[in-house]
């Protein structure tokens, strides 16, 4: 009796790891960045754009709604669906901006007169962390839609901000990006 359960659990874990591997390969290997990156875009690039994500799925709004007279479970479900949809829109923008920053950094590093292996390593490390964080956020978002989980996107925003700061630093000492 224990052997079939063990085999089933191992199979589920292997499938999950396979899906994570496929996602990472697709995410890290994708080159669908939106270029050219302009100085205007770079000057407007800010984490402020993503601040609503930090409170969009906060439980206090749902608790407030539940405390109102006339509340129905359908109202809660509808609000949850709308918030998840809005959150996914912000998440797509965050991924697009992150990809553009990575693409710009890659262009700058490729055209640089001096090698910067520490920065190349840092970019790769942050891309991997971002991809893993994105998987976690998508899983938690699916569970949130069912009412089972909280979603914390602050790590993704911090990774994006670190890349953004690195790009700003390099652009100040580099000629404009002509990609």
């Amino acid at each position: 009796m224990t052997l079939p359960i063990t085999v089933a659990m191992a199979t589920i874990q292997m499938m999950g790891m396979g899906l994570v591997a496929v996602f990472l390969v697709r995410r890290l290997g994708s080159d669908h960045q939106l270029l050219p990156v302009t100085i205007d875009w770079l000057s407007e690039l800010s984490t402020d754009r993503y601040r609503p994500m930090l409170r969009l799925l906060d439980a206090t709004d749902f608790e407030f709604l539940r405390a109102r007279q006339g509340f129905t479970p359908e109202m809660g479900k509808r609000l949850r669906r709308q918030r998840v949809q809005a959150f996914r829109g912000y998440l797509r923008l965050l991924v697009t901006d992150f990809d553009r920053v990575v693409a710009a950094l890659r262009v700058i590093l490729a055209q640089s007169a001096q090698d910067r292996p520490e920065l190349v390593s840092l970019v790769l490390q942050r891309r991997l962390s971002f991809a893993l964080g994105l998987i976690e956020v998508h899983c938690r978002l699916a569970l949130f839609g069912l009412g089972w989980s909280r979603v914390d996107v602050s790590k993704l925003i911090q990774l994006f901000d670190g890349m953004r700061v690195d790009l700003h630093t390099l652009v100040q000492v580099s000629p404009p990006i002509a990609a």
Side-chain angles (χ1 to χ4, degrees), residues 52-64:
M53 293 177 79
L54 298 172
R55 61 176 169 69
L56 194 58
L57 303 178
D58 190 35
T60 56
D61 291 342
F62 297 97
E63 292 166 6
F64 175 80

Side-chain angles (χ1 to χ4, degrees), residues 64-169:
F64 175 80
L65 182 61
R66 260 189 299 257
R68 299 294 112 206
Q69 186 147 359
F71 168 79
T72 63
E74 182 55 39
M75 292 169 68
K77 289 178 185 177
R78 186 173 50 244
L79 178 63
R80 190 172 291 276
R81 275 193 310 269
Q82 291 170 346
R83 293 289 180 93
V84 166
Q85 185 178 21
F87 188 90
R88 283 194 173 119
Y90 277 108
L91 196 56
R92 279 190 297 276
L93 292 173
L94 179 62
V95 169
T96 299
D97 281 347
F98 185 86
D99 287 346
R100 288 178 79 181
V101 168
V102 168
L105 284 169
R106 287 173 56 191
V107 168
I108 289 171
L109 290 170
Q111 294 179 355
S112 177
Q114 57 181 319
D115 286 341
R116 302 279 309 266
E118 74 287 347
L119 187 57
V120 171
S121 175
L122 184 64
V123 168
L124 183 60
Q125 179 185 12
R126 285 185 180 161
R127 280 186 76 193
L128 180 61
S129 295
F130 192 85
L132 290 171
L134 195 57
I135 291 170
E136 180 183 353
V137 166
H138 277 294
C139 290
R140 289 189 173 274
L141 194 57
L143 293 173
F144 179 86
L146 300 172
W148 295 345
S149 178
R150 291 190 53 228
V151 181
D152 182 11
V153 75
S154 61
K155 292 176 189 172
L156 290 180
I157 293 173
Q158 288 172 350
L159 285 167
F160 166 71
D161 194 42
M163 295 290 274
R164 182 190 64 81
V165 168
D166 290 344
L167 181 58
H168 271 278
T169 302

Side-chain angles (χ1 to χ4, degrees), residues 36-57:
V37 172
T38 64
I39 299 298
D40 290 338
W41 172 78
L42 185 57
S43 66
E44 294 172 4
L45 193 60
S46 169
T47 57
D48 290 342
R49 178 179 188 177
Y50 303 107
R51 285 209 201 290
M53 293 177 79
L54 298 172
R55 61 176 169 69
L56 194 58
L57 303 178

